[in-house]
Amino acid sequence: MTRRPLGSDGCLPPTLRMGTADVAYHLAMRGRPLPVAFVFGFGGRAPTLDAVRARVAERAHRIPSLRYRIERHRPVFRRIDAIAVERHVHEVWLPEDADEAEAARLMLTRPMNTGTRPPWDVWLVHGPSGGYSLCYRSDHAAQDGVGAAHTARDLLDDHPQGGPAAHHASWPTRRGLADALGDAVGGLRAPTPKPAFDGPSSGRTTLCRAQTPLAGLRAIGRAHGGTVNDVYLAALSHAVHSWHMKATGTPHPPLPVAVPMSVRPPGEECAPGNRMVTARLLLPCDEPSPRQALARVIAATAVLRASRRRDAVRLLLAATPRALGARVGTRMVNGDVVAAPASSVDFGTALVHQGAASRSAAVFAGVAAGIRCLTTLTSQHDTSCLTVVHDAALATAGELPDLWLAALLELERA
């Protein structure tokens, strides 16, 4: 029997049970919000704050993910019947010396609502040179990146349609189940050496990014029998290799990263909560060339797909008591076990708001649980954006986007 989309009968239940991943994020942050943000960059004249608020007021009450807040002392989402739009939609002007990434940095550092309202907001950010950004932001305990993509589309786009593809569940192989169990057990082992990312955190977070044509990543993937995601991860692997070699003169060992994978099914595009699992992947940062790194990444992700690892993790989480699963999850994705989450989201066609098409899109989240770095590749229309969120203690991590672009150039020439 097919499950009906939440709210399709015209009403929403007063409470919803938080899922395992939701509780894991809530535990990792000790109840504080962890921002997940979608930032859309535009050129030309900005809309007015009143116009943005009018759009949000028209749409928000129909989007389930915007109608729930996290209950303070219970692992449930509680419905809110009235949305005070003026308390959710704001505007701000950037200083004259701001660069193109400043709106995204603002979304990392601006305090989020921690009261009795649903944990989301929309920002109209005016740039210093005439451009502007529209930013949608939520608490990661209430929504994952793919859910944020669908919510931002439904809330802000003139004609909402498309977005990241839904996941159609299937049965995993024995290899997939064994590897999923291995990931869970791996979270209980001794810390994995990650010399470029180990060390104390400063508690201050910043962000850097780079943009490149999506067609280039697709062409590299076709030439080598891989996907856009494979190319992204291989170039990231070589960027870390070059970065560490420059600093120390020695190769970096294979780098453990957590790869988030959406399990959001059809009909739950805008349902509250996280519909995602993670798999542990070793990036071959010890390889001397990006081409060799790409070959190893393609081989590793082929095993993930063939064994249907995401469905193995999904089933294991469904069979595990929620509190236990959440605590295991916080062990699997923390700074002792993995260096960084490395995610990717294909937003699809450009967001169009009040007739203007966005020139770029980037989704990212803050860091938690001792993790000092996070990377995301966001694709929109014909452009991909690499975003690197990192602890300020990684003082030279701002070099990673340029090194990533350099690795892509080498792959194009290979």
Side-chain angles (χ1 to χ4, degrees):
M1 180 178 178
T2 303
R3 182 161 45 181
R4 296 180 66 186
L6 183 68
S8 60
D9 58 356
C11 63
L12 296 170
T15 61
L16 290 171
R17 188 173 184 266
M18 292 177 72
T20 300
D22 310 331
V23 176
Y25 278 115
H26 205 52
L27 285 173
M29 293 300 295
R30 300 179 181 178
R32 302 186 309 275
L34 178 67
V36 55
F38 234 115
V39 176
F40 301 92
F42 294 81
R45 185 176 180 181
T48 66
L49 177 62
D50 286 344
V52 177
R53 282 178 170 170
R55 170 64 57 83
V56 172
E58 174 193 356
R59 304 273 186 87
H61 69 282
R62 300 198 298 263
I63 301 174
S65 56
L66 304 182
R67 295 284 306 279
Y68 287 88
R69 65 176 176 87
I70 299 171
E71 187 71 80
R72 172 169 286 185
H73 300 298
R74 296 176 58 206
V76 297
F77 297 116
R78 183 167 297 279
R79 189 188 67 210
I80 297 297
D81 293 324
I83 296 175
V85 171
E86 69 280 359
R87 302 181 72 184
H88 287 273
V89 185
H90 317 280
E91 71 178 332
V92 66
W93 281 260
L94 297 179
E96 287 298 322
D97 60 349
D99 62 18
E100 291 187 354
E102 190 61 31
R105 294 189 193 101
L106 186 69
M107 293 302 100
L108 276 179
T109 58
R110 199 84 175 193
M112 286 194 70
N113 163 46
T114 57
T116 58
R117 302 191 304 277
W120 62 270
D121 49 35
V122 172
W123 288 84
L124 171 59
V125 182
H126 299 268
S129 57
Y132 64 97
S133 298
L134 281 176
C135 309
Y136 166 75
R137 192 171 62 153
S138 182
D139 181 355
H140 214 326
Q143 192 168 56
D144 54 57
V146 168
H150 285 292
T151 299
R153 177 83 79 181
D154 281 12
L155 185 64
L156 299 172
D157 204 303
D158 287 355
H159 305 287
Q161 58 183 351
H167 175 67
H168 297 272
S170 59
W171 286 101
T173 66
R174 291 182 180 179
R175 170 72 182 272
L177 288 168
D179 289 347
L181 282 169
D183 279 356
V185 172
L188 306 176
R189 296 177 188 150
T192 306
K194 305 172 294 298
F197 297 92
D198 288 335
S201 298
S202 71
R204 294 176 289 110
T205 306
T206 188
L207 174 152
C208 51
R209 67 185 191 184
Q211 291 183 192
T212 191
L214 177 57
L217 280 79
R218 286 175 172 161
I220 296 169
R222 285 194 301 268
H224 295 271
T227 65
V228 167
N229 193 58
D230 293 334
V231 176
Y232 150 56
L233 292 174
L236 177 62
S237 174
H238 192 67
V240 172
H241 171 88
S242 302
W243 179 51
H244 189 65
M245 282 288 291
K246 179 181 176 182
T248 67
T250 60
H252 197 285
L255 187 72
V257 297
V259 178
M261 300 177 291
S262 176
V263 292
R264 193 171 285 269
E268 295 191 12
E269 287 83 359
C270 292
N274 287 265
R275 307 290 195 275
M276 54 164 283
V277 297
T278 62
R280 186 176 183 269
L281 188 70
L282 285 175
L283 294 187
C285 301
D286 52 332
E287 288 289 1
S289 80
R291 184 171 183 174
Q292 292 168 304
L294 179 57
R296 283 174 58 180
V297 168
I298 289 173
T301 59
V303 171
L304 283 179
R305 289 190 293 273
S307 65
R308 297 190 280 278
R309 177 92 70 87
R310 79 171 72 193
D311 284 298
V313 180
R314 176 183 59 83
L315 289 174
L316 285 175
L317 287 177
T320 303
R322 182 179 54 175
L324 174 61
R327 294 193 179 278
V328 171
T330 58
R331 288 297 309 158
M332 290 172 60
V333 186
N334 72 82
D336 286 340
V337 178
V338 296
S343 61
S344 63
V345 175
D346 185 356
F347 187 71
T349 58
L351 181 88
V352 178
H353 182 81
Q354 300 187 32
S358 61
R359 301 182 301 183
S360 64
V363 64
F364 52 89
V367 292
I371 288 173
R372 302 172 78 208
C373 186
L374 173 150
T375 67
T376 307
L377 184 75
T378 313
S379 299
Q380 178 194 249
H381 184 44
D382 58 359
T383 301
S384 287
C385 180
L386 172 73
T387 304
V388 179
V389 177
H390 65 91
D391 190 280
L394 300 177
T396 61
E399 299 173 8
L400 286 171
D402 285 342
L403 292 171
W404 181 78
L405 291 175
L408 290 179
L409 185 60
E410 282 195 55
L411 287 169
E412 286 178 352
R413 294 170 174 171

